[in-house]
């Protein structure tokens, strides 16, 4: 390795060491993966993932709505959401249909989807309580406020 390449590596090494302590993106992604893994493990007993649970909950909360609007609510791009809707539709938990505007598909919860959400809701509630016990009420509230603020950036 040349001296120039060695100094570049050393410089990058300093940057990457700092990243773990100071980078919002790095730390949010790491925390998200850890929390999602916990929720997924607990939701496995209900044959649903944390992502699927969140999508179903959003549709119940918002009511029937266009795919694009649901993607916006969830902070996802439309193509990613469309891929995530496929297994939900296959399981019969959501239905998709054309709206009056033929370019737009609308999403709505089915009875089976509502039932799946009800079945998994006690697990979600238990996990929420666990997070609050770990962080405390005030820190949990602050964390959620910060996350909502960041999602509007």
């Amino acid at each position: 390795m040349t001296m120039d390449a060695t100094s570049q590596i050393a410089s990058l090494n300093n940057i990457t060491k700092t990243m773990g302590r100071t980078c919002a993106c790095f730390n949010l992604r790491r925390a998200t993966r850890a929390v999602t893994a916990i929720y997924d493990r607990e939701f496995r007993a209900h044959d649903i993932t944390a992502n699927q649970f969140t999508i179903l909950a959003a549709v119940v909360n918002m009511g029937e709505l266009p795919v694009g609007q649901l993607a916006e609510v969830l902070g996802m791009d439309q193509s990613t959401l469309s891929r995530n809707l496929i297994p939900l539709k296959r399981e019969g938990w959501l239905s998709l249909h054309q709206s009056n505007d033929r370019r737009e598909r609308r999403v709505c919860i089915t009875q089976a989807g509502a039932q799946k959400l009800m079945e998994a809701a006690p697990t979600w509630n238990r996990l929420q309580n666990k997070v609050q016990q770990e962080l405390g009420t005030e820190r949990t509230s602050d964390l959620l406020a910060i996350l909502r603020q960041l999602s509007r950036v």
Side-chain angles (χ1 to χ4, degrees):
M1 201 178 308
T2 67
M3 187 59 165
D4 190 39
T6 302
S7 74
Q8 284 179 333
I9 296 296
S11 180
L12 282 173
N13 199 5
N14 289 333
I15 291 169
T16 57
K17 284 180 182 176
T18 302
M19 181 189 294
R21 294 186 311 276
T22 63
C23 179
C25 183
F26 175 85
N27 284 284
L28 281 168
R29 291 179 62 81
R30 182 174 57 190
T32 298
R33 285 189 294 272
V35 171
T36 300
I38 292 166
Y39 277 67
D40 279 343
R41 185 174 55 244
E42 296 295 319
F43 280 141
R44 199 170 295 135
H46 305 289
D47 295 320
I48 192 169
T49 66
N51 188 46
Q52 292 169 335
F53 182 88
T54 302
I55 293 169
L56 292 177
V59 174
V60 167
N61 188 48
M62 300 297 295
E64 181 180 315
L65 72 167
V67 171
Q69 187 178 347
L70 179 58
E72 189 175 313
V73 166
L74 293 168
M76 299 172 87
D77 65 79
Q78 196 166 334
S79 63
T80 300
L81 175 60
S82 291
R83 284 190 305 277
N84 281 273
L85 293 176
I86 293 168
L88 296 172
K89 186 177 177 201
R90 185 178 55 238
E91 292 292 337
W93 300 339
L94 290 177
S95 67
L96 295 166
H97 60 273
Q98 295 298 132
S99 70
N100 292 337
D101 180 347
R102 305 294 274 156
R103 298 169 293 175
E104 178 181 270
R105 293 181 308 149
R106 297 183 68 81
V107 183
C108 67
I109 192 102
T110 64
Q111 185 62 40
Q115 181 61 40
K116 181 56 69 174
L117 200 56
M118 287 296 294
E119 173 190 315
T123 298
W124 172 84
N125 195 50
R126 182 173 46 76
L127 290 165
Q128 290 295 108
N129 289 335
K130 185 176 180 180
V131 169
Q132 190 164 337
Q133 287 172 355
E134 181 69 28
L135 296 178
T137 303
E138 187 176 329
R139 287 179 70 204
T140 301
S141 180
D142 290 346
L143 172 63
L144 293 173
I146 290 166
L147 293 172
R148 283 190 295 272
Q149 181 180 3
L150 284 172
S151 69
R152 291 189 298 267
V153 170

mmCIF file of all heavy atoms in Angstrom, residues 132-149:
data_model
loop_
_atom_site.group_PDB
_atom_site.id
_atom_site.type_symbol
_atom_site.label_atom_id
_atom_site.label_comp_id
_atom_site.label_asym_id
_atom_site.label_seq_id
_atom_site.Cartn_x
_atom_site.Cartn_y
_atom_site.Cartn_z
ATOM 1 N N GLN A 132 -41.204 0.809 27.279
ATOM 2 C CA GLN A 132 -41.448 1.885 28.237
ATOM 3 C C GLN A 132 -40.819 1.570 29.596
ATOM 4 O O GLN A 132 -40.268 2.452 30.249
ATOM 5 C CB GLN A 132 -42.943 2.142 28.390
ATOM 6 C CG GLN A 132 -43.239 3.389 29.186
ATOM 7 C CD GLN A 132 -44.652 3.858 29.016
ATOM 8 O OE1 GLN A 132 -45.304 3.547 28.026
ATOM 9 N NE2 GLN A 132 -45.126 4.612 29.969
ATOM 10 N N GLN A 133 -40.872 0.317 30.006
ATOM 11 C CA GLN A 133 -40.225 -0.067 31.264
ATOM 12 C C GLN A 133 -38.710 0.097 31.168
ATOM 13 O O GLN A 133 -38.059 0.529 32.120
ATOM 14 C CB GLN A 133 -40.563 -1.509 31.626
ATOM 15 C CG GLN A 133 -41.976 -1.694 32.117
ATOM 16 C CD GLN A 133 -42.344 -3.168 32.281
ATOM 17 O OE1 GLN A 133 -41.571 -4.056 31.947
ATOM 18 N NE2 GLN A 133 -43.546 -3.427 32.778
ATOM 19 N N GLU A 134 -38.155 -0.242 30.020
ATOM 20 C CA GLU A 134 -36.703 -0.137 29.827
ATOM 21 C C GLU A 134 -36.241 1.317 29.816
ATOM 22 O O GLU A 134 -35.233 1.663 30.431
ATOM 23 C CB GLU A 134 -36.306 -0.827 28.511
ATOM 24 C CG GLU A 134 -34.843 -0.811 28.211
ATOM 25 C CD GLU A 134 -34.012 -1.683 29.140
ATOM 26 O OE1 GLU A 134 -34.524 -2.687 29.672
ATOM 27 O OE2 GLU A 134 -32.833 -1.332 29.345
ATOM 28 N N LEU A 135 -36.988 2.174 29.118
ATOM 29 C CA LEU A 135 -36.569 3.572 28.960
ATOM 30 C C LEU A 135 -37.168 4.513 29.996
ATOM 31 O O LEU A 135 -36.616 5.587 30.238
ATOM 32 C CB LEU A 135 -36.962 4.082 27.566
ATOM 33 C CG LEU A 135 -36.304 3.418 26.371
ATOM 34 C CD1 LEU A 135 -36.847 4.005 25.084
ATOM 35 C CD2 LEU A 135 -34.799 3.549 26.436
ATOM 36 N N GLY A 136 -38.306 4.138 30.546
ATOM 37 C CA GLY A 136 -39.052 5.046 31.412
ATOM 38 C C GLY A 136 -40.049 5.835 30.586
ATOM 39 O O GLY A 136 -39.870 6.029 29.380
ATOM 40 N N THR A 137 -41.103 6.291 31.227
ATOM 41 C CA THR A 137 -42.189 6.984 30.526
ATOM 42 C C THR A 137 -41.718 8.257 29.840
ATOM 43 O O THR A 137 -42.023 8.491 28.672
ATOM 44 C CB THR A 137 -43.329 7.303 31.516
ATOM 45 O OG1 THR A 137 -43.761 6.092 32.114
ATOM 46 C CG2 THR A 137 -44.493 7.978 30.822
ATOM 47 N N GLU A 138 -40.959 9.074 30.561
ATOM 48 C CA GLU A 138 -40.529 10.357 29.999
ATOM 49 C C GLU A 138 -39.575 10.175 28.827
ATOM 50 O O GLU A 138 -39.732 10.811 27.778
ATOM 51 C CB GLU A 138 -39.866 11.214 31.082
ATOM 52 C CG GLU A 138 -39.545 12.618 30.598
ATOM 53 C CD GLU A 138 -38.988 13.496 31.703
ATOM 54 O OE1 GLU A 138 -39.351 13.305 32.874
ATOM 55 O OE2 GLU A 138 -38.177 14.381 31.362
ATOM 56 N N ARG A 139 -38.611 9.276 28.964
ATOM 57 C CA ARG A 139 -37.661 9.054 27.873
ATOM 58 C C ARG A 139 -38.349 8.420 26.663
ATOM 59 O O ARG A 139 -38.011 8.738 25.516
ATOM 60 C CB ARG A 139 -36.495 8.184 28.342
ATOM 61 C CG ARG A 139 -35.543 8.957 29.266
ATOM 62 C CD ARG A 139 -34.402 8.123 29.755
ATOM 63 N NE ARG A 139 -33.491 7.841 28.655
ATOM 64 C CZ ARG A 139 -32.679 6.799 28.621
ATOM 65 N NH1 ARG A 139 -32.662 5.924 29.610
ATOM 66 N NH2 ARG A 139 -31.872 6.603 27.602
ATOM 67 N N THR A 140 -39.311 7.536 26.902
ATOM 68 C CA THR A 140 -40.067 6.943 25.784
ATOM 69 C C THR A 140 -40.830 8.029 25.044
ATOM 70 O O THR A 140 -40.810 8.085 23.809
ATOM 71 C CB THR A 140 -41.033 5.856 26.295
ATOM 72 O OG1 THR A 140 -40.277 4.843 26.964
ATOM 73 C CG2 THR A 140 -41.826 5.247 25.154
ATOM 74 N N SER A 141 -41.494 8.893 25.789
ATOM 75 C CA SER A 141 -42.236 9.999 25.183
ATOM 76 C C SER A 141 -41.309 10.917 24.396
ATOM 77 O O SER A 141 -41.616 11.326 23.268
ATOM 78 C CB SER A 141 -42.967 10.780 26.280
ATOM 79 O OG SER A 141 -43.687 11.836 25.732
ATOM 80 N N ASP A 142 -40.143 11.237 24.978
ATOM 81 C CA ASP A 142 -39.163 12.080 24.283
ATOM 82 C C ASP A 142 -38.662 11.403 23.013
ATOM 83 O O ASP A 142 -38.542 12.041 21.965
ATOM 84 C CB ASP A 142 -37.970 12.392 25.198
ATOM 85 C CG ASP A 142 -38.318 13.329 26.339
ATOM 86 O OD1 ASP A 142 -39.398 13.954 26.307
ATOM 87 O OD2 ASP A 142 -37.499 13.419 27.285
ATOM 88 N N LEU A 143 -38.371 10.104 23.111
ATOM 89 C CA LEU A 143 -37.887 9.352 21.947
ATOM 90 C C LEU A 143 -38.914 9.405 20.820
ATOM 91 O O LEU A 143 -38.570 9.685 19.664
ATOM 92 C CB LEU A 143 -37.594 7.903 22.320
ATOM 93 C CG LEU A 143 -37.255 6.966 21.152
ATOM 94 C CD1 LEU A 143 -35.974 7.397 20.461
ATOM 95 C CD2 LEU A 143 -37.155 5.536 21.640
ATOM 96 N N LEU A 144 -40.171 9.150 21.136
ATOM 97 C CA LEU A 144 -41.206 9.144 20.104
ATOM 98 C C LEU A 144 -41.379 10.534 19.493
ATOM 99 O O LEU A 144 -41.567 10.651 18.272
ATOM 100 C CB LEU A 144 -42.520 8.625 20.684
ATOM 101 C CG LEU A 144 -42.488 7.151 21.087
ATOM 102 C CD1 LEU A 144 -43.775 6.769 21.820
ATOM 103 C CD2 LEU A 144 -42.253 6.260 19.895
ATOM 104 N N ALA A 145 -41.276 11.576 20.301
ATOM 105 C CA ALA A 145 -41.373 12.941 19.775
ATOM 106 C C ALA A 145 -40.214 13.229 18.822
ATOM 107 O O ALA A 145 -40.400 13.817 17.752
ATOM 108 C CB ALA A 145 -41.394 13.950 20.923
ATOM 109 N N ILE A 146 -39.012 12.799 19.201
ATOM 110 C CA ILE A 146 -37.835 12.999 18.347
ATOM 111 C C ILE A 146 -37.988 12.222 17.044
ATOM 112 O O ILE A 146 -37.709 12.746 15.959
ATOM 113 C CB ILE A 146 -36.545 12.592 19.087
ATOM 114 C CG1 ILE A 146 -36.254 13.591 20.212
ATOM 115 C CG2 ILE A 146 -35.365 12.481 18.132
ATOM 116 C CD1 ILE A 146 -35.210 13.113 21.213
ATOM 117 N N LEU A 147 -38.452 10.980 17.120
ATOM 118 C CA LEU A 147 -38.639 10.169 15.911
ATOM 119 C C LEU A 147 -39.679 10.784 14.983
ATOM 120 O O LEU A 147 -39.492 10.811 13.759
ATOM 121 C CB LEU A 147 -39.008 8.734 16.281
ATOM 122 C CG LEU A 147 -37.896 7.938 16.978
ATOM 123 C CD1 LEU A 147 -38.441 6.603 17.466
ATOM 124 C CD2 LEU A 147 -36.704 7.761 16.072
ATOM 125 N N ARG A 148 -40.776 11.287 15.541
ATOM 126 C CA ARG A 148 -41.789 11.956 14.702
ATOM 127 C C ARG A 148 -41.200 13.196 14.037
ATOM 128 O O ARG A 148 -41.443 13.463 12.859
ATOM 129 C CB ARG A 148 -43.024 12.297 15.535
ATOM 130 C CG ARG A 148 -43.913 11.117 15.819
ATOM 131 C CD ARG A 148 -45.249 11.522 16.445
ATOM 132 N NE ARG A 148 -45.084 12.104 17.765
ATOM 133 C CZ ARG A 148 -45.045 11.406 18.901
ATOM 134 N NH1 ARG A 148 -45.165 10.089 18.873
ATOM 135 N NH2 ARG A 148 -44.894 12.014 20.057
ATOM 136 N N GLN A 149 -40.413 13.946 14.801
ATOM 137 C CA GLN A 149 -39.776 15.150 14.248
ATOM 138 C C GLN A 149 -38.813 14.771 13.119
ATOM 139 O O GLN A 149 -38.823 15.399 12.054
ATOM 140 C CB GLN A 149 -39.039 15.901 15.348
ATOM 141 C CG GLN A 149 -38.379 17.175 14.876
ATOM 142 C CD GLN A 149 -37.657 17.908 15.993
ATOM 143 O OE1 GLN A 149 -37.593 17.435 17.121
ATOM 144 N NE2 GLN A 149 -37.108 19.053 15.673
#
